Amino acid sequence: MSVASIDVPRWTGPLPTRDEVAKMIDHSLLRPELTPADIQAGLLIAREHNVASVCVRPADVAAVVSGGVLHGTTVAIGTVVAFPHGSSTTATKVFETAELVAQGAEEIDMVIDIGRLRAGDTAFTRDEIAAVVQAAAGRPVKVIFENTYLTQQEKVAGYQAAEAAGAAFVKTSTGFAAGGATAADIALMRQTVSAAVQVKAAGGVRTLDALLELNRLGATRFGATATATILDDLEERRRTSTI
């Protein structure tokens, strides 16, 4: 399922540098139909633009680490756990995390058990996230909530549980559900968690304007497939800007 692009007005404020924006982007390589050649092409994009990380499918981690395309760069190798539905058992999520870390994954984006949070079992949500955080052995864990399925109260409870469990980020969505990141959710996330927890937007962040507006609201990392388009647009605007 393709999530609609976030529709925001054209950004009129000061423009950050290309490097500043690049280091906000997790270049996403998660679509199920991607071939090894597609993954290789995506890694070259990530290397060229020196993004914060690539986020690859679990089955691709070992090959990405051993392939060496990102060696000598500051681009981290990230992956996902229980993606995209979050329906694995806690033990499975812990095993998957530990296996991927052993293979060289440097960042973990995990999907919560959405139904358990909707049922009000925030203790389960907290404890499951904590177990994954422990298995990640110091690697940043970004907790995906799939906000489109949650009420305001459920969102707040989930974000608080993630912080209590030691998560590094709260994240809006997988990009594979009916809805993705929204300005309202980014603002709520930033208001709910302390400065110790960062906010990641994913799902529909396909333009520079969307990225800059959500960054203004508090998001510091963005899952994106339109990395080159976003950064090329920034470069053109900086070239012609009078601000």
Side-chain angles (χ1 to χ4, degrees):
M1 178 177 293
S2 178
V3 177
S5 296
I6 298 165
D7 185 18
V8 298
R10 183 177 175 87
W11 181 260
T12 58
L15 292 167
T17 68
R18 185 184 181 95
D19 285 347
E20 287 171 338
V21 172
K23 285 305 183 188
M24 298 181 197
I25 294 175
D26 292 344
H27 187 59
S28 178
L29 299 170
L30 296 172
R31 295 199 315 273
E33 75 274 17
L34 296 179
T35 66
D38 294 329
I39 298 296
Q40 185 77 0
L43 296 177
L44 291 173
I45 290 172
R47 180 185 178 96
E48 175 187 354
H49 296 290
N50 194 30
V51 295
S53 81
V54 290
C55 193
V56 300
R57 301 168 303 194
D60 298 319
V61 169
V64 170
V65 171
S66 64
V69 173
L70 300 177
H71 289 179
T73 75
T74 58
V75 179
I77 297 171
T79 190
V80 289
V81 164
F83 192 88
H85 299 305
S87 301
S88 306
T89 65
T90 299
T92 299
K93 292 179 184 182
V94 167
F95 177 87
E96 187 175 20
T97 301
E99 180 184 29
L100 294 169
V101 166
Q103 290 178 356
E106 298 168 286
E107 299 186 351
I108 300 293
D109 291 36
M110 68 162 287
V111 187
I112 65 162
D113 185 322
I114 301 161
R116 293 292 286 266
L117 179 58
R118 292 187 66 221
D121 196 349
T122 54
F124 176 90
T125 301
R126 180 199 62 221
D127 292 347
E128 181 169 77
I129 295 168
V132 171
V133 168
Q134 183 175 8
R139 281 75 171 177
V141 172
K142 306 167 199 166
V143 180
I144 305 172
F145 286 93
E146 211 68 282
N147 284 329
T148 192
Y149 298 134
L150 302 175
T151 67
Q152 198 88 336
Q153 182 178 358
E154 290 161 356
K155 293 171 189 176
V156 169
Y159 307 155
Q160 291 172 339
E163 178 159 18
F169 288 78
V170 288
K171 178 177 171 182
T172 59
S173 40
T174 62
F176 286 80
T182 68
D185 280 341
I186 295 299
L188 179 65
M189 291 171 125
R190 186 65 277 161
Q191 291 162 11
T192 301
V193 297
S194 75
V197 180
Q198 297 185 64
V199 175
K200 178 175 174 180
V205 185
R206 299 192 183 96
T207 66
L208 176 63
D209 299 305
L211 184 149
L212 293 176
E213 175 59 17
L214 296 186
N215 177 243
R216 183 186 70 81
L217 293 170
T220 53
R221 198 74 76 86
F222 298 87
T225 57
T227 300
T229 299
I230 290 168
L231 292 172
D232 289 348
D233 187 16
L234 173 63
E235 191 169 274
E236 176 63 17
R237 293 197 206 183
R238 283 182 61 85
R239 187 182 68 81
T240 60
S241 175
T242 58
I243 296 178

